[in-house]
Amino acid sequence: MAEFTDADLRGSRFAHADLSGSEFRAVDLSRARFRSADLSGVTMRGVELADVDIRGEIQHLTINGVDVGPLIEAELDRRHPDRARMRPTDPAGFREAWDILERLWAGTVDRAGRLRPELLNESVDGEWSFIETLRHLAFATDSWVGRAMLGDPAPWDPLDLPWDEMPDTPGVPRDRAVRPSLDVVLALRRDRMSTVRRVIEGLTPESLAGHTEPVDGVGWPRPRSYPVRECLLIVLNEEWEHRLYAERDLAALEAREARSA
């Protein structure tokens, strides 16, 4: 076991590293950044937590004896009344959820289209650009609908973009250097959204309660059977959350453009 005592590790970078079971005592983690990190089962005592921004899947998080997860969920639903509809249980609910997403995304795309085209390939605070976000959503659709549900072992378009921490996988594209135009990415996006629409329109209570057939070949998701509802909920969650990220970053780009005008 490695031990660091009275060590200066400022600015260190840990990537694809296993730190599970580690102990941090009297350490300075101020201004540290955690991305795609598994913090399950973490215990913190005597910590100072101020000006902290946490975004992710939060369950059974207890702060000073209070489980804050349900409080956070309730507040997010209050802020975004349509959010509760992203957890449907029947075919009609899924169709309503997709109607909402199509409407919301139409407004977001219109907002993006009012910016200078080069800004749509710019990152805000290290996050994906607007166009990269749309590319990632194409990947999510291809993976969970095209591959898992429709059985295509390799449904990906060359512009599809997996999440950054996904290991390189044969056949799965990951081109971070390409800079496609908004029109090109929107054509791919419309095609994938129409596929989701077709699948959701064809749902029945029986098919929604069913499981997918395992697909042959390496890729994502892994080749096994999945609950149909789980696949579609993943797509809804990806669409919902990434639109919020996009709206946040578009606001920053708009402010940047206004300052330079």
Side-chain angles (χ1 to χ4, degrees), residues 82 85-88 90-106 137-138 140-141 145 189-201 203 231-240:
D82 286 330
R85 294 181 172 87
M86 297 300 116
R87 302 186 289 271
D90 58 22
F94 275 95
R95 287 188 275 273
E96 179 188 28
W98 196 248
D99 287 342
I100 291 169
L101 287 168
E102 287 183 331
R103 170 175 54 81
L104 293 175
W105 266 110
L137 290 174
T141 298
V145 177
R189 175 92 168 119
R190 285 191 292 268
D191 179 78
R192 295 324 194 247
M193 292 186 80
S194 68
T195 297
V196 178
R197 165 63 69 184
R198 186 175 69 252
V199 168
I200 287 178
E201 290 293 342
L203 282 178
C231 295
L232 292 174
L233 286 175
I234 289 172
V235 172
L236 294 187
N237 182 68
E238 289 281 314
E239 294 280 348
W240 178 266

Side-chain angles (χ1 to χ4, degrees), residues 24-234:
F24 301 91
R25 183 181 292 269
V27 297
D28 185 351
L29 292 174
S30 58
R31 299 177 302 283
R33 297 175 68 88
F34 299 85
R35 187 183 182 95
S36 297
D38 184 356
L39 297 177
S40 303
V42 169
T43 299
M44 299 182 184
R45 296 288 185 268
V47 298
E48 297 180 14
L49 206 61
D51 302 320
V52 174
D53 183 9
I54 300 175
R55 296 172 186 267
E57 185 176 344
I58 300 173
Q59 296 179 352
H60 311 301
L61 172 62
T62 301
I63 298 179
N64 292 338
V66 178
D67 183 357
V68 301
L71 304 179
I72 294 171
E73 288 296 304
E75 175 60 15
L76 289 174
D77 286 349
R78 186 193 68 80
R79 293 184 182 186
H80 308 286
D82 286 330
R83 185 175 183 269
R85 294 181 172 87
M86 297 300 116
R87 302 186 289 271
T89 58
D90 58 22
F94 275 95
R95 287 188 275 273
E96 179 188 28
W98 196 248
D99 287 342
I100 291 169
L101 287 168
E102 287 183 331
R103 170 175 54 81
L104 293 175
W105 266 110
T108 299
V109 168
D110 285 345
R111 182 181 184 182
R114 292 192 289 271
L115 289 169
R116 287 183 289 115
E118 58 269 26
L119 290 178
L120 302 182
N121 273 304
E122 287 194 15
S123 169
V124 175
D125 195 25
E127 301 294 338
W128 278 332
S129 70
F130 183 77
I131 284 178
E132 286 173 331
T133 296
L134 299 185
R135 293 173 58 197
H136 175 69
L137 290 174
F139 170 78
T141 298
D142 284 342
S143 297
W144 289 103
V145 177
R147 178 175 161 91
M149 292 185 63
L150 300 181
D152 185 344
W156 303 286
D157 184 90
L159 286 177
D160 281 10
L161 187 63
W163 71 98
D164 287 345
E165 292 75 20
M166 177 179 171
D168 288 337
T169 305
V172 179
R174 187 204 300 277
D175 189 346
R176 290 297 302 270
V178 67
R179 292 292 182 268
S181 69
L182 179 61
D183 287 342
V184 168
V185 174
L186 285 179
L188 172 63
R189 175 92 168 119
R190 285 191 292 268
D191 179 78
R192 295 324 194 247
M193 292 186 80
S194 68
T195 297
V196 178
R197 165 63 69 184
R198 186 175 69 252
V199 168
I200 287 178
E201 290 293 342
L203 282 178
T204 65
E206 293 75 22
S207 64
L208 183 59
H211 286 68
T212 66
E213 291 292 329
V215 68
D216 292 330
V218 297
W220 183 261
R222 295 181 177 87
R224 64 177 179 83
S225 179
Y226 296 89
V228 169
R229 182 170 180 265
E230 177 184 311
C231 295
L232 292 174
L233 286 175
I234 289 172

